[in-house]
Amino acid sequence: MSEYRHEWKHEINYADLLTLRMRLKAIMHIDEHTINGKYEIRSLYFDSPNDKALYDKIDGVNRREKFRIRYYNHDASFIVLEKKSKINGLCQKISATITKEQAQSIIDGKLDWMMKAHPLCQELYFKMHTQGLRPKTIVDYTREAFVYKPGNVRITMDYAIRTGENRIDFLNPETITIPAGDSPIILEVKWDDFLPSIIKDAVTIPGRRASAFSKYEQCRIYR
């Protein structure tokens, strides 16, 4: 099971992005999965009938979690099921690889196979039955990512956030998404036990404060 990690989020503007891109390229490695320095992410988030995950985030509940399935760069041959948990400001992400067919079966509500699959699939199966979790909305965005081995640091800048509103056919490449309101660019800094000072200095931009921004929450603005 993955450990809990520290996480900072900051809302930044395009000028900040250009500055940070130059700084980070000088001291960090570009994530190996990027194409020309970036990659596209499509996620499908789950929530209960009364939107528990959404309102837990809005209300700042200390212990909260959300499930999603996602793929990268429009390539549905590699799909991951993820559960992201947060407690006392620390984050944990647990992942399991699933097939395109399995992802579609979850969307279609054909769930029996999950009982004998990865433990994370079993957990989602249980919560779909007990909490009524169901696919809720598609979230699309572009990500630039950098890594730094000391401290296991990962820095991402996410932008062009788009929502599928109530669409859940996220395996369909023709599915239309629209801008999720006036979304900012989101800088995220994640690390394990310590954040090296060289990284802390690099991501420090005067006037930018920590944010609790949620892409899922932003993509529910038309709910």
Side-chain angles (χ1 to χ4, degrees):
M1 181 177 291
S2 61
E3 299 295 329
Y4 280 89
R5 283 163 54 83
H6 299 271
E7 178 183 270
W8 281 352
K9 290 186 181 181
H10 301 267
E11 297 183 21
I12 63 175
N13 59 36
Y14 186 66
D16 297 332
L17 182 147
L18 296 177
T19 298
L20 288 167
R21 183 187 287 156
M22 289 190 297
R23 289 180 185 175
L24 298 177
K25 281 183 176 179
I27 60 176
M28 301 181 73
H29 294 288
I30 297 174
D31 187 296
E32 63 182 5
H33 298 105
T34 61
I35 300 174
N36 296 322
K38 62 186 68 173
Y39 54 89
E40 304 298 325
I41 297 177
R42 167 164 286 187
S43 299
L44 178 62
Y45 281 81
F46 293 72
D47 213 334
S48 66
N50 62 352
D51 290 328
K52 183 178 186 301
L54 176 63
Y55 286 105
D56 279 357
K57 171 61 183 65
I58 292 172
D59 296 338
V61 173
N62 186 49
R63 289 175 176 262
R64 59 184 187 267
E65 66 182 27
K66 56 179 175 277
F67 286 84
R68 66 194 178 205
I69 50 179
R70 66 170 36 174
Y71 58 93
Y72 304 87
N73 295 322
H74 313 289
D75 180 8
S77 66
F78 177 77
I79 301 175
V80 289
L81 165 65
E82 296 180 338
K83 182 182 80 166
K84 188 172 183 181
S85 305
K86 178 166 283 192
I87 178 172
N88 298 326
L90 297 176
C91 297
Q92 180 194 57
K93 185 171 68 175
I94 302 173
S95 303
T97 303
I98 60 175
T99 67
K100 183 177 181 179
E101 293 73 24
Q102 289 171 334
Q104 187 61 53
S105 71
I106 294 175
I107 295 169
D108 294 338
K110 300 175 181 177
L111 311 177
D112 289 348
W113 64 271
M114 301 173 71
M115 293 186 290
K116 297 181 180 180
H118 188 281
L120 186 59
C121 295
Q122 296 177 22
E123 182 178 353
L124 178 58
Y125 172 88
F126 175 76
K127 290 178 178 177
M128 291 181 79
H129 280 277
T130 60
Q131 299 178 11
L133 291 188
R134 291 295 182 271
K136 186 67 69 166
T137 192
I138 295 169
V139 176
D140 286 343
Y141 58 95
T142 302
R143 165 166 287 179
E144 298 184 26
F146 302 83
V147 294
Y148 190 77
K149 188 173 182 179
N152 191 23
V153 180
R154 179 174 175 81
I155 296 179
T156 57
M157 294 185 288
D158 298 336
Y159 49 89
I161 301 170
R162 301 175 65 85
T163 175
E165 298 185 273
N166 297 318
R167 300 288 298 269
I168 63 172
D169 54 339
F170 99 131
L171 292 174
N172 179 3
E174 304 301 321
T175 295
I176 301 298
T177 56
I178 62 174
D182 187 18
S183 299
I185 301 168
I186 302 301
L187 167 70
E188 295 187 11
V189 184
K190 298 184 179 73
W191 71 97
D192 287 346
D193 296 327
F194 72 98
L195 181 63
S197 58
I198 189 173
I199 302 299
K200 186 175 182 179
D201 291 343
V203 298
T204 298
I205 298 179
R208 302 293 178 259
R209 295 181 297 176
S211 168
F213 184 90
S214 162
K215 289 183 282 290
Y216 171 59
E217 179 185 352
Q218 184 68 23
C219 287
R220 293 292 309 281
I221 60 173
Y222 303 116
R223 64 186 184 278

